[in-house]
Amino acid sequence: MRTLFLTLTTLSLLIGHLNAQWSPGVYMKQATTRTLSTAKYIEAQSSTLGFRNGLCFIGTLLKAHGGASTINVTLTGGTSYAFIGGGDDDVTDIDIKISNTGGTILAQDTKNDNYPVVEFTPEYSGTYEIKLLNWSPTLAFCAVAILEEGGVGLPVDNIGDAVEKIFRMCRSINNQTTSKVWFLDEDNQWCFYGYVLGNSDNRTVSNIKMGGGVRYVMAAADDNAGDIDACIMNGAADEEYHCDKEPDATPIVKYNTSGYADYGIKITDAKSSGKTFVLACILKEGN
């Protein structure tokens, strides 16, 4: 427990403090720091687990008393995984459930606490549903980190660099707009994504309901990254609508979305010096 406390303290110091006036950033930072710190602690205690290549972190805003978000991930049969949950300072009880495509729950942590951990080794390779539920009495920012057998060992400095940069970018967008800026809060949608990427790697997320209005997709990475690109795409995530492919590691895409359409996003490590930890988020203007 002392090691976990030290990891949390170190990561918090690396990330720094957000302007308390932008409350969405304050609460999402709490959830992100807590979840990644716990994942880093579990990684450090294991001889086999590391952060999952590709998607390794997701964050969302969940309603009270059972609000949930789900995501489908591809897992490899015979490989061990750990799914670690966390939330902001108001979270008292969150659960993680893992199901197959038929809806059968294969593993879960439903204890009455705010730090669920599910260890799971699928028998077969395929698609599995990860569900995060908030049983707290308040609306809350919650997150899940994913570790895998043979995954990447991320230094605390790399995690801290990416987290500090993305929240600084979010705060800057909020300060520059006349409308209030929030994290995407559509039902059963994720607004925060973390990836371990290598040079020229990319990852997409499809069928995102962004609602209608001004939306931002942005990304930031640790210092291994030389160039990160971001795109807003169609719902199938196979057609680019608008991108930021400037040669920098902090892309920001602004796009006016329709409430009747689904969208996708693509994050690309266009140039890096090694495995890179990248965080991406979706913001919206207005209430």
Side-chain angles (χ1 to χ4, degrees):
M1 186 57 67
R2 175 175 170 80
T3 306
L4 176 57
F5 173 77
L6 291 174
T7 303
L8 177 60
T9 302
T10 302
L11 192 50
S12 297
L13 290 173
L14 284 168
I15 293 168
H17 299 284
L18 286 174
N19 187 335
Q21 293 181 343
W22 191 54
S23 58
V26 172
Y27 290 112
M28 180 58 92
K29 175 200 165 187
Q30 292 169 358
T32 300
T33 304
R34 182 168 287 112
T35 306
L36 289 173
S37 295
T38 306
K40 182 61 187 174
Y41 169 77
I42 292 174
E43 177 218 327
Q45 299 303 304
S46 170
S47 60
T48 60
L49 293 174
F51 282 81
R52 180 176 183 258
N53 279 283
L55 183 69
C56 63
F57 178 82
I58 41 178
T60 183
L61 181 63
L62 295 180
K63 294 178 179 178
H65 304 297
S69 287
T70 62
I71 191 168
N72 291 330
V73 297
T74 301
L75 304 179
T76 302
T79 298
S80 298
Y81 295 87
F83 300 84
I84 301 103
D88 63 41
D89 289 354
D90 293 327
V91 169
T92 58
D93 184 12
I94 50 177
D95 296 342
I96 295 175
K97 298 183 179 183
I98 301 173
S99 304
N100 60 19
T101 54
T104 301
I105 297 174
L106 304 175
Q108 60 183 329
D109 183 337
T110 58
K111 295 189 294 293
N112 185 20
D113 60 35
N114 59 1
Y115 48 93
V117 177
V118 177
E119 297 179 354
F120 176 59
T121 303
E123 186 175 357
Y124 305 104
S125 298
T127 300
Y128 295 83
E129 181 187 83
I130 313 304
K131 176 182 283 189
L132 181 65
L133 302 99
N134 173 35
W135 296 107
S136 308
T138 60
L139 184 77
F141 285 99
C142 303
V144 177
I146 308 173
L147 304 181
E148 69 178 355
E149 183 180 353
V152 178
L154 289 178
V156 171
D157 285 353
N158 293 48
I159 296 173
D161 285 345
V163 174
E164 193 277 333
K165 289 174 185 175
I166 194 71
F167 281 110
R168 186 172 59 208
M169 291 169 66
C170 291
R171 185 179 61 188
S172 177
I173 291 294
N174 180 68
N175 292 342
Q176 292 173 25
T177 60
T178 56
S179 301
K180 198 75 170 170
V181 172
W182 308 84
F183 288 100
L184 182 70
D185 58 358
E186 299 290 321
D187 286 344
N188 195 30
Q189 299 297 304
W190 303 85
C191 59
F192 226 79
Y193 300 87
Y195 300 93
V196 174
L197 299 177
N199 191 44
S200 299
D201 284 349
N202 70 76
R203 292 294 187 275
T204 61
V205 182
S206 60
N207 299 317
I208 303 173
K209 298 186 185 303
M210 293 192 186
V214 176
R215 301 293 184 263
Y216 299 85
V217 172
M218 60 183 67
D222 62 37
D223 288 342
N224 287 338
D227 184 10
I228 302 295
D229 297 338
C231 293
I232 292 179
M233 311 182 75
N234 66 343
D238 57 10
E239 179 183 348
E240 297 176 355
Y241 283 168
H242 194 56
C243 300
D244 181 343
K245 297 184 178 181
E246 293 297 316
D248 59 44
T250 52
I252 300 175
V253 183
K254 182 179 180 180
Y255 193 74
N256 202 330
T257 58
S258 165
Y260 300 100
D262 287 352
Y263 294 88
I265 63 172
K266 179 168 71 173
I267 306 299
T268 303
D269 176 359
K271 182 181 180 181
S272 66
S273 60
K275 289 289 186 179
T276 301
F277 181 56
V278 184
L279 283 170
C281 70
I282 306 173
L283 301 179
K284 71 171 193 175
E285 283 190 19
N287 296 326

